[in-house]
Amino acid sequence: MQRVLLHTATAAAPFYVPGLVAALEDAGWKVAVLESAAFPKAAIAAAGLKCASTKEKCDVHLYAPWDKAPVAESDALVAAVDGVFPGSLRPTCRLSLGRQGAVTIASYEQILEALEARRTVQDFAGKTVLITLGPTIEDFDPARYISNRSTGRMGVALARMAARRGAKVLAIHGPLSVSMPDVDNIECIPVRSAKNMGDAVLANISRADCAILCAAVADFSPCDYSEEKIKKGSRETLMLRMKRNIDILATIGSLPTRPFLVGFAAESTDVLKNANEKMRRKNCDMLCANDITAAGCGFASETNRLHVFLRDGGNREIPLASKNDVASQVLDLIREKMS
Ligand code: CTP
């Protein structure tokens, strides 16, 4: 499924459509635009876009009704357009750019995710996937904290790809440097500290069929929290006493009943040995190890490469690829092993 017929009757079309077409084409969709009174042939051509012919066939028909169109009229037009384009499917997505004066504009990302879901096998439909992601923040006074370099990028890719495959995603996350797709089947639960994250995971774990814990959880947090900003005064050094935090993955691994459990391991030395040992110690079904010092695999990197250990003794390499591709391959393995 690759071809999109875009038909917008709204007055906002000339402003909205070029950016939408660019976003869809970047993701590999072919887009043709059907002329309307609001966006005539000449304007479509002037925007450098392909104008749909009346013989156009498409896989998905995206439709935005004219402004203030009553719902019934919009639906009638959709049916008529389907009749004109016998090769096209019933519209599977509609842009809503204002019905009866109430303006609701779907973002490019929402539209793209809806389209991607339609060309993706829904093999996680009916499953709930809990994902932890991002860093945790350990405060020690109102101005200062200890954290780490995690951006949450790998976890966002896992959430995005699981949602595309039909999962209900529970994303329990520390502060993220990248945005989470704004789609209905991702429920975000923002947290701050390791303790908050542990509490949120324990409160929600019974809802999950699978838990993928890829957050960079702080192993230690300051023993004391100062209600006032700590003054440097005349001291030359500052000692911060730290206490061990809950290990969320190991805690879930030790539950008598638990979902299919996937851990991550960020390693900088002896990656394979440390990761294998970590999988057994934390009792996971699968552990994805990455060497955070390898080229293209660091915290803020767009790409990743994983070595995946399986509880049954096997292991697989996921070669260097975009984090979305790596996430898809992790989900393939989870699907295979869960069933
Ligand atoms: N993890 C966790 N809770 C913690 C620490 C880690 O749930 N307090 C999880 C991470 O989300 C990841 C896995 O445990 O899935 C491994 O995390 P990592 O930081 O690689 O290992 P640590 O257990 O912290 O061990 P070390 O830092 O000693 O390598």
Side-chain angles (χ1 to χ4, degrees):
M1 192 201 291
Q2 289 292 332
R3 300 178 68 84
V4 177
L5 175 67
L6 183 55
H7 176 203
T8 63
T10 169
F15 310 103
Y16 189 77
V17 169
L20 175 59
V21 173
L24 298 182
E25 287 183 345
D26 274 354
W29 293 85
K30 291 190 175 59
V31 188
V33 182
L34 186 68
E35 69 170 326
S36 64
F39 203 25
K41 230 177 207 162
I44 294 173
L49 304 176
K50 180 174 180 287
C51 192
S53 84
T54 46
K55 297 269 189 309
E56 198 79 32
K57 290 192 175 182
C58 67
D59 302 296
V60 181
H61 172 194
L62 280 176
Y63 170 67
W66 61 88
D67 300 324
K68 300 184 184 164
V71 173
E73 270 184 51
S74 313
D75 289 348
L77 180 67
V78 169
V81 170
D82 272 354
V84 175
F85 299 99
S88 68
L89 302 176
R90 287 281 306 159
T92 51
C93 304
R94 289 187 210 171
L95 321 187
S96 179
L97 289 176
R99 284 176 185 272
Q100 298 178 331
V103 180
T104 48
I105 298 180
S107 70
Y108 297 160
E109 187 183 39
Q110 283 172 323
I111 294 164
L112 180 63
E113 287 304 326
L115 288 178
E116 292 297 348
R118 281 181 166 77
R119 66 170 169 183
T120 306
V121 177
Q122 298 294 288
D123 55 353
F124 275 82
K127 302 279 179 220
T128 298
V129 178
L130 182 152
I131 303 178
T132 67
L133 64 153
T136 63
I137 301 267
E138 311 300 327
D139 296 300
F140 61 92
D141 80 12
R144 305 187 183 94
Y145 60 78
I146 290 178
S147 189
N148 59 65
R149 296 167 192 233
S150 170
T151 59
R153 210 178 280 272
M154 189 65 227
V156 166
L158 282 160
R160 176 186 297 115
M161 301 320 266
R164 271 187 199 174
R165 290 164 78 146
K168 158 88 187 160
V169 175
L170 295 177
I172 300 176
H173 64 87
L176 301 175
S177 313
V178 288
S179 60
M180 185 67 87
D182 177 16
V183 293
D184 290 344
N185 53 337
I186 301 182
E187 179 184 333
C188 288
I189 304 177
V191 295
R192 189 165 175 86
S193 64
K195 163 126 185 35
N196 300 153
M197 185 173 276
D199 289 346
V201 170
L202 285 167
N204 286 284
I205 198 71
S206 62
R207 297 166 68 191
D209 299 291
C210 167
I212 308 175
L213 304 197
C214 71
V217 185
D219 291 321
F220 295 91
S221 56
C223 291
D224 304 304
Y225 176 79
S226 165
E227 296 292 342
E228 288 165 15
K229 185 177 167 223
I230 298 170
K231 290 284 178 198
K232 65 179 168 302
S234 57
R235 63 180 138 210
E236 291 299 322
T237 58
L238 175 69
M239 290 285 284
L240 202 57
R241 266 166 41 82
M242 310 275 281
K243 61 178 188 301
R244 205 171 174 125
N245 284 334
I246 177 180
D247 187 318
I248 306 168
L249 181 60
T251 304
I252 302 303
S254 68
L255 294 177
T257 50
R258 59 161 177 78
F260 187 87
L261 186 59
V262 182
F264 268 69
E267 304 291 347
S268 57
T269 50
D270 278 339
V271 179
L272 302 190
K273 181 173 155 290
N274 286 340
N276 205 355
E277 186 275 321
K278 211 171 262 183
M279 176 176 72
R280 294 188 192 286
R281 182 163 42 90
K282 302 200 186 198
N283 195 31
C284 353
D285 298 299
M286 190 186 284
L287 189 119
C288 306
N290 64 341
D291 177 351
I292 53 172
T293 60
C297 297
F299 273 123
S301 165
E302 301 276 351
T303 53
N304 205 359
R305 186 175 70 200
L306 295 176
H307 193 99
V308 183
F309 291 88
L310 303 163
R311 191 188 180 79
D312 60 20
N315 60 76
R316 310 266 177 94
E317 289 291 336
I318 299 183
L320 191 70
S322 74
K323 285 189 170 169
N324 278 351
D325 284 351
V326 170
S328 288
Q329 294 182 59
V330 169
L331 292 166
D332 288 345
L333 268 173
I334 292 174
R335 202 69 198 88
E336 184 189 317
K337 295 293 164 188
M338 268 176 87
S339 55

